[in-house]
Amino acid sequence: MRIQVLGPLHAEAGGFPIVPSAAKQRQILALLALRPGQFVPVTALREELWGSVPPHSAHATFQTYILRLRRLLAAALGGPDGLAGARELLVTAHGGYRLRIAEEDVDAFAFRRAAQAGHAAFADGDNELASRLLRQALALWRGAALVDVRSGAALRTEAAGLEEHRLLATERRIDAELRLGLHGELLPELVQLTTHHPYDERLHAQAMVAFYRSGRQSAALDLYRGLRRRLIEQLGLEPAPRLQRLHQAMLSVDPRLDSVAQGGRPTPTFDLYAC
């Protein structure tokens, strides 16, 4: 069985799609997929569906959802043993349920493994490998995590965590590619990212460096001023000290801003002026 949650929910068993159309069944399948091979208590599943105060009919309704999920699995597996295979795949155990799949059957875990390898390559100073691995990891995304699944508290937490890992992988890939001298190629993406994340200081640091190295110092300084204005007006905060030091380095035309791409310690762009 294969399940994708990095975008619209998609699942296959026996080569056939099995994504249910009913919203709450999709929630159950998504939460079980994000706990592959693990026992998930019925109480946790019900709380995901109905919050802390489930309706009086919750028990019977929940059992109906499980029955329909198993029927979908049985139809996909096919043959006279389809229902038995569905019960082996969606297992009842000790007041809960377990989806008998491995982590490698879920795209979220494949993404995390590839991203971890990319982060490790960056830490080792291998920017080309880091860029390649992180691009492979990010290519697994087909949209926002669980974009078409109604989410309760548990799935909202899972989706937020996945999106944070996605953003970190994106930032580290850009760090690696800035070190490879690809600032010009990165500029359109960084303009879009800073627009979508108007308070993210790391992305703004990367965009500032990309503008500066492309000979657009004024654009880099304008980007800093816009971020500073938003932070002060909306949050009552000044930019982080390291970002202020990056700004000052650009004002003084610090030669280190150009030399980082040719070598040196594998330091994230945001941390160039941490000290």
Side-chain angles (χ1 to χ4, degrees):
M1 185 175 183
R2 300 284 182 178
I3 302 181
Q4 296 172 302
V5 298
L6 303 180
L9 179 66
H10 181 75
E12 292 183 358
F16 295 94
I18 58 163
V19 179
S21 56
K24 292 193 182 300
Q25 293 174 51
R26 294 165 71 84
Q27 280 180 271
I28 294 171
L29 180 60
L31 188 55
L32 290 173
L34 289 167
R35 310 279 195 277
Q38 299 179 31
F39 165 76
V40 182
V42 171
T43 52
L45 290 163
R46 286 184 189 168
E47 185 169 354
E48 168 62 28
L49 297 180
W50 292 293
S52 58
V53 186
H56 294 299
S57 61
H59 177 74
T61 305
F62 180 79
Q63 293 302 318
T64 300
Y65 294 152
I66 293 294
L67 177 61
R68 289 175 179 170
L69 276 175
R70 281 195 173 128
R71 284 176 178 168
L72 278 174
L73 289 169
L77 295 171
D81 298 326
L83 188 55
R87 289 197 182 100
E88 290 181 2
L89 193 55
L90 179 52
V91 181
T92 305
H94 311 297
Y97 292 89
R98 177 164 61 95
L99 200 57
R100 187 174 285 169
I101 58 175
E103 287 188 352
E104 53 262 32
D105 296 324
V106 184
D107 61 353
F109 294 92
F111 162 72
R112 285 176 174 169
R113 284 194 302 275
Q116 287 170 358
H119 288 298
F122 180 82
D124 290 339
D126 192 336
N127 298 300
E128 290 186 0
L129 179 60
S131 171
R132 184 166 67 251
L133 290 173
L134 290 166
R135 281 189 174 275
Q136 289 171 359
L138 291 163
L140 294 172
W141 286 76
R142 299 165 296 114
L146 299 168
V147 65
D148 61 346
V149 178
R150 180 188 299 167
S151 297
L155 284 180
R156 280 196 298 271
T157 300
E158 290 285 352
L162 287 168
E163 291 291 348
E164 181 64 21
H165 283 293
R166 181 189 192 182
L167 185 58
L168 290 172
T170 300
E171 290 173 349
R172 188 60 74 247
R173 173 187 62 78
I174 293 171
D175 280 329
E177 292 174 358
L178 283 172
R179 291 178 57 80
L180 292 169
L182 302 177
H183 39 272
E185 293 88 334
L186 289 168
L187 265 179
E189 179 184 6
L190 282 166
V191 168
Q192 186 178 52
L193 284 168
T194 52
T195 300
H196 290 166
H197 301 275
Y199 302 99
D200 191 305
E201 292 177 294
R202 290 181 176 86
L203 289 173
H204 280 74
Q206 292 174 326
M208 287 168 64
V209 169
F211 273 123
Y212 185 91
R213 290 181 182 162
S214 299
R216 299 174 62 183
Q217 183 186 23
S218 62
L221 298 175
D222 284 344
L223 192 67
Y224 175 84
R225 284 192 288 267
L227 172 63
R228 182 174 183 267
R229 183 177 62 253
R230 286 190 297 276
L231 289 173
I232 292 172
E233 292 177 354
Q234 302 299 322
L235 303 177
L237 298 172
E238 286 281 354
R242 66 191 68 180
L243 193 60
Q244 294 182 41
R245 286 190 283 270
L246 178 61
H247 176 244
Q248 289 299 318
M250 290 182 174
L251 289 174
S252 63
V253 195
D254 189 325
R256 287 178 293 176
L257 285 167
D258 292 312
S259 64
V260 175
Q262 280 78 51
R265 187 166 58 92
T267 303
T269 305
F270 185 60
D271 296 334
L272 287 176
Y273 291 84
C275 300

